[in-house]
Structures are given as structure tokens and as C-alpha cells.
Amino acid sequence: MTSSRRTALKTLLASAAVGPQLAHAAEPKWGRGVEGQRKADLGNGTYLNPILSGDHPDPTILKDGADYYMTFSSFLSYPGVILWHSRDLVNWEPIGPALTKPIGSVWAMDLVKHNGRYFIYIPATPDGKGTIFVIWADNIRGPWSDPIDLHIDAIDPGHAVGEDGKRYLFVNGVRRIGLTDDGLATVGTLEKVYEPWRYPSDWVVEMFAPEGPKLLRRNGWFYLVLAVGGTSGPPTSHMVIAARSRSIHGPWEHCPQNPLVRTKSAEERWWSRGHATLVEGPAGDWWMVYHGYENGYRTLGRQALLEPIEWTADGWFKPKGGDLSSPLPMPKKGTAVPAGFAKSDDFTKNKFGVQWCFFNPGPDEMRRVRFEQGSVVIAGKGTSPADCSPLSCIVGDHAYEATVTLEISGAGHGGLLLHYNEHMFVGVGFSATHMLTYQYAREQGWMREAVKASTVRIRVRNDRHIVTFFYALDDGKWIQHPWQMETSGMHHNVFGGFLSLQPAVYSAGEGAVHMRDFQYRALA
């Protein structure tokens, strides 16, 4: 190492020792679950949004007797389409993935039950070209069928059954196509069926973008609930609007109270609220589930929100939750399931598709994985974190620490990242001979340091976007990495993709990473 580099490194070490001196705005008092993770249920008969923190966008929800099931856009994460279960709409537990075969980036879906069978209609981009697939199961816990390509060039499907018993898919742009009785093929072609209500031209939104049509039949009316305004961009983008018709074939009339949900100011806690589905609660009351970005935390992705609604005398509905910044009464007559799950993992159970997912994997990615008692071995792929399909997990806390123990074998290298996509990540890695530092998707070669250890422990602390890494060689003491980073800009408005910043373990090159003893804890 040259003299100038030694001087620069000493300066960095000195500044790291001081640590970030930041003041944090007062935050709401969420409940705290396992490992201190944020929890919506406050334990006093109220809840505080989000009902699922972290990256859970485009919720689609199904009421099935006393049970509720929900899933979300999983984009390039596989196993994907993770199903969640609840009995009170606030406390949710994961079931597992419905989709294991990669079909490209998975967008807003629709989860439905028809004639005793479950269906998920899945927009995806195999080979970069958009289409809609369907999978089905006779038990919602699986097994699920292989994806069937419906060859529909559209996104955001919403399933509906007309007054004549025929099945349809509504899609973005408020177009519609028929389905066969078994729901596994299309009938006819896409046709536009509704010109949505338009907001005033001086409103600050991303774009018009009518999308996410979800349909409900109630008291002789078909209700069409959809989003306009764009799902990201300015905080005041995205909103919920509605229309209704006596027939699935129209004509459709605008709701006179449109928009029903809208972020009006960047001062609100929840930005870009939209993409809603209506659902009946356990007590027969009604609710909306939709998503939103949290003010100051776009890095967490779009989070799942729950708002009460009421039906009015004229047959429309209106929301009752305000801007969702305050606690709201819990749904009545529901029973709580265990909420969330512990992210700490001793690898004695397979949590792939519940916690761990590969980013943008190949068709046989699971062949890279070998399970051993108390560890998982991940064969190397690619040459760096950018092309090796890291193994990541969604988090929903403003501040947290994640720690993992790794053994690097062969001529590969691996480490711990905060990962957005192949174009943006930060992290620390190790080979058999060196420590590697990644700042904003680039290895900082001047910080490559010669080390030799059979085992490394790595910890990342993300304290409200201020990121610090630590490492320990073999059984040695913790060493704070000299480079601290600020990550608040690692989100969709900068890098696209509608993703979130997630802890991830990578394994690259000609070797393997033995991963064990993953520990997670939320920080106050």
C-alpha cells in the first residue's frame, strides 16, 4: 500500500471511530415483535400501519371463509410469489412460495378462488417480453402448477365473473379479455372497456397510468377499483379511484368522490398510496388493502397498508383512515396468528422462499445450494456481486443489524451486502487472501487488503440509511470497517426496478461460501 493510501485509510479509520452524529425525527410507536421487528398490532385493540413492513407491493388479497391470504409482487426474487395467511387482517404469517420456476420479473398479480380451485394470475417478463401467466392449486398451500402462458401483452390482471357466469381478466388501461371456464386460456382479444376518471391537470403526479383494476360484486353492482397517477415519482403520485356498473359489460360510472385515497402533501407519513383491493372483514365490515412508500424510507420499498372503509347510502364506499399516521381500531372478531417470523437463521430448516430468495437467478439456481447441518453451502457464480445472483431477504425496520458467519472455499469470494440490484449495492467480501470493499456497486481496489482466515464474521448496521460494516477474522475481535456509507438514495426513483434495499449474501468465482449463524435484530 502506498504512503498516500495509508494516510487516506488512517483518515477514514479516524472518522469511522467517531461514528455518525445524526438527529432522528420522532417516529410513531409501533409494536415490536420477534427480534424487535416492527409490528402493526399494538396489543391494545389498535394497529398502526404498515400491516407488513418492508417490500410488499401491489397486494392482492383473498377472503376464504375465516382465513385471509395475500401475496405481493416479487419481481426478480426466487422462489417467489410468497403467500401470507391471516385471520384478522393485521397479523400475518408466511406460508411459502407459490412460484419456483423463474419466468422473469413478476409484477402485480391477482389471487382468486373459483369453483373450489385457487388461481394466481401473474404478469411477468420472460426474455424481457411481457405476458401474463396463470398457476393453480387445489390447496392454497400447494402444490402449485407450473406457469401457463396466457399470451396476454399486459400487466395488473384483475379476475372477474360476470352476471352470466363467464370469467374475465381486466388489465392495465382498463382493458378486458375473456377466459375459458377453467381459467387456463383466453377467449377473444383485449378490448378497452372503460375510460377512467381523470384528476385535475395541475396535480403533481408521475403520470396518468390507469392500472391495478380489481373487481368486486356487491348488492347488484360490479365495483371497479383501480390506481392512477403512477406508483412512484413525486410523493403525491398514485391514488385510488372507483367506478361501478350493473353489468360486467358496462357502462361504468365514475365514483363522485374520486379520488378516494390520495397523498396530498409530502409532509404525510405515507407517500404514493394506491393499488387497492376491497375485502370484507371478520365481522362483516369492509377494508381496503393497498401499498405506499414511507416518508424518508423509499429504500424499504412499497409497504402493505390497511384502511377501514364504509358503504354509504348511495351505494358507494369511502375510506375512514385519514392519512394512516395514527393508530386505528383493530378489525373486530378476528383472531391473531403469529405475526411475521424470526429472521435469525441457524439453517436447520429450509427457509428458502419464506426468508431467502435469489436475485435474478437462472433456471437451475437451487443446484448451487447444498444444505448441511447448521449451514448452507452456496456454489460460486459469476465474478462479482453484480452477476452472481445474491441470496437476499426483505427487512422492514428503519434501523437494524445483520450478522453472518462465512467460510470461503476454493478460488471464490463472498460476503455480506446491502443489495438493491446488479447496478447498486454496498458491502464487504472476502477471498482466501483478501478483503474486498464495494461502494455503490464498484469494488474499491485501493482498499483491497491482504487477510488470511478460514472463517470470517461480517456485520452490517443500517441505522436510518447510515451504513457501517464490521468484520472478525476466525475467532478474533470485531473490527469496524473504515468506510461508512449513506444509502438513502438507493431506491426506485434513482435506479428503477421497484425494488428495495436488502441484506444479502453473495458467492462468486470458482469456489463456494459456507453460510451459517445468520443473526438479525432491529435497533431502537
Side-chain angles (χ1 to χ4, degrees):
M1 183 181 292
T2 66
S3 175
S4 60
R5 288 183 176 178
R6 286 194 189 95
T7 301
L9 186 56
K10 288 179 180 178
T11 302
L12 284 168
L13 284 166
S15 63
V18 174
Q21 304 296 310
L22 299 177
H24 303 301
E27 295 179 341
K29 298 297 183 182
W30 283 281
R32 292 290 174 178
V34 62
E35 300 163 334
Q37 297 177 50
R38 283 201 293 172
K39 183 180 177 182
D41 189 343
L42 301 183
N44 60 1
T46 67
Y47 74 96
L48 181 61
N49 278 294
I51 53 170
L52 275 175
S53 60
D55 197 18
H56 297 95
D58 306 315
T60 173
I61 187 168
L62 169 67
K63 176 177 170 57
D64 188 18
D67 297 291
Y68 297 89
Y69 300 98
M70 189 159 55
T71 192
F72 309 90
S73 295
S74 52
F75 299 107
L76 289 168
S77 293
Y78 286 89
V81 188
I82 299 171
L83 291 163
W84 292 75
H85 169 248
S86 177
R87 297 191 69 131
D88 66 0
L89 292 174
V90 171
N91 293 284
W92 293 86
E93 60 180 346
I95 296 175
L99 181 66
T100 57
K101 179 181 179 180
I103 55 174
S105 185
V106 167
W107 293 55
M109 298 167 281
D110 202 20
L111 169 63
V112 300
K113 185 179 184 181
H114 182 74
N115 288 342
R117 176 168 284 181
Y118 301 91
F119 300 82
I120 308 178
Y121 291 91
I122 307 174
T125 56
D127 304 319
K129 187 176 182 181
T131 187
I132 295 178
F133 292 87
V134 60
I135 59 176
W136 60 270
D138 290 323
N139 186 319
I140 198 162
R141 295 177 181 266
W144 287 85
S145 72
D146 283 340
I148 300 167
D149 191 349
L150 297 177
H151 303 286
I152 306 171
D153 184 9
I155 59 171
D156 293 13
H159 178 270
V161 179
E163 62 268 32
D164 56 1
K166 297 296 183 182
R167 302 176 67 177
Y168 301 89
L169 279 187
F170 286 66
V171 298
N172 63 311
V174 200
R175 297 167 293 163
R176 188 188 69 186
I177 193 168
L179 293 172
T180 54
D181 290 344
D182 63 6
L184 304 179
T186 60
V187 175
T189 59
L190 281 174
E191 58 176 341
K192 184 157 184 139
V193 294
Y194 171 58
E195 184 59 44
W197 173 87
R198 284 184 176 263
Y199 46 80
S201 60
D202 61 346
W203 284 11
V204 179
V205 297
E206 184 181 33
M207 55 184 170
F208 183 48
E211 58 191 4
K214 293 293 184 281
L215 290 101
L216 166 74
R217 193 178 189 188
R218 183 178 186 272
N219 293 342
W221 289 99
F222 288 92
Y223 292 89
L224 174 62
V225 183
L226 65 152
V228 293
T231 193
S232 54
T236 50
S237 298
H238 218 34
M239 60 198 81
V240 177
I241 66 171
R244 71 181 182 184
S245 171
R246 290 291 186 184
S247 169
I248 197 72
H249 306 294
W252 298 90
E253 60 176 296
H254 303 326
C255 176
Q257 284 78 44
N258 283 336
L260 295 160
V261 173
R262 178 190 170 218
T263 301
K264 298 179 180 179
S265 165
E267 300 302 313
E268 295 180 29
R269 174 155 295 278
W270 293 103
W271 292 350
S272 298
R273 293 186 289 151
H275 203 105
T277 301
L278 272 58
V279 65
E280 185 180 5
D285 50 359
W286 284 81
W287 302 78
M288 264 193 300
V289 177
Y290 54 86
H291 65 214
Y293 282 109
E294 191 171 358
N295 187 334
Y297 289 92
R298 288 188 185 271
T299 55
L300 292 177
R302 291 166 294 169
Q303 304 181 56
L305 309 173
L306 178 71
E307 179 167 8
I309 64 171
E310 66 178 357
W311 294 95
T312 54
D314 58 2
W316 290 103
F317 61 91
K318 66 178 183 179
K320 301 194 299 179
D323 65 2
L324 304 191
S325 62
S326 300
L328 295 166
M330 289 279 291
K332 296 178 181 178
K333 297 186 179 181
T335 56
V337 300
F341 61 94
K343 290 182 170 61
S344 296
D345 195 353
D346 61 6
F347 300 102
T348 57
K349 296 180 180 179
N350 183 353
K351 294 170 72 175
F352 277 70
V354 171
Q355 175 170 348
W356 299 106
C357 299
F358 282 111
F359 175 78
N360 196 18
D364 299 316
E365 206 74 16
M366 288 303 294
R367 293 184 181 180
R368 296 176 59 199
V369 176
R370 183 176 79 253
F371 293 93
E372 297 181 350
Q373 185 64 26
S375 70
V376 60
V377 183
I378 310 168
K381 173 185 175 181
T383 60
S384 78
D387 60 1
C388 72
S389 296
L391 193 62
S392 64
C393 63
I394 293 170
V395 295
D397 295 299
H398 293 174
Y400 58 87
E401 285 185 345
T403 305
V404 69
T405 300
L406 303 178
E407 298 175 25
I408 315 297
S409 62
H413 57 102
L416 183 61
L417 312 168
L418 286 183
H419 180 268
Y420 182 81
N421 64 12
E422 67 272 28
H423 304 298
M424 183 45 57
F425 50 86
V426 298
V428 174
F430 289 84
S431 70
T433 57
H434 288 86
M435 180 177 72
L436 303 86
T437 299
Y438 295 94
Q439 186 204 35
Y440 311 133
R442 294 183 180 181
E443 189 207 339
Q444 300 300 316
W446 69 275
M447 290 197 71
R448 183 176 288 202
E449 182 179 343
V451 298
K452 189 172 182 179
S454 59
T455 301
V456 296
R457 290 179 292 161
I458 313 174
R459 174 177 297 156
V460 60
R461 177 189 296 155
N462 183 352
D463 189 355
R464 299 166 179 85
H465 310 306
I466 303 301
V467 174
T468 310
F469 285 92
F470 306 82
Y471 62 95
L473 306 177
D474 292 326
D475 293 325
K477 294 181 178 180
W478 284 106
I479 301 169
Q480 181 172 311
H481 191 280
W483 201 320
Q484 292 175 286
M485 307 177 200
E486 201 277 344
T487 59
S488 63
M490 296 184 185
H491 56 73
H492 171 80
N493 276 3
V494 180
F495 295 101
F498 296 105
L499 306 176
S500 67
L501 195 61
Q502 302 179 13
V505 172
Y506 84 93
S507 177
E510 299 296 325
V513 167
H514 298 242
M515 173 182 175
R516 57 183 172 86
D517 191 26
F518 181 84
Q519 297 290 326
Y520 178 89
R521 71 182 183 100
L523 304 176

